[in-house]
Amino acid sequence: MDQKTQEQAELADGNTVCAGCGAVAEGTPPTWTCSVENGERRYFCDECARENLRAIEGRLDSTWW
């Protein structure tokens, strides 16, 4: 994992953004789901992860769901 992918998932102030709904969390919450798609690290909040659990477990890209 290179540093560039980590920077794409985090804001300049260190907060993390949900790739699904755009929710912002302080730091990186341990309950959020992390997915690597096309070499890019994406984080999903609890709600987005629950709604799309089967697709995430099936390793489908978020653009599909």
Side-chain angles (χ1 to χ4, degrees), residues 1-9 19 32-44 55-63 65:
M1 208 39 58
D2 63 359
Q3 287 295 339
K4 197 173 204 179
T5 59
Q6 181 69 19
E7 291 170 7
Q8 292 170 348
W32 281 29
T33 300
C34 179
S35 174
V36 178
E37 300 173 11
N38 298 322
E40 182 180 324
R41 190 179 295 180
R42 297 180 184 205
Y43 290 94
F44 297 95
I56 293 170
E57 287 180 344
R59 300 203 180 262
L60 298 173
D61 285 346
S62 59
T63 54
W65 40 276

Side-chain angles (χ1 to χ4, degrees), residues 8-21:
Q8 292 170 348
E10 292 184 353
L11 297 174
D13 59 2
N15 292 340
T16 304
V17 180
C18 175
C21 67

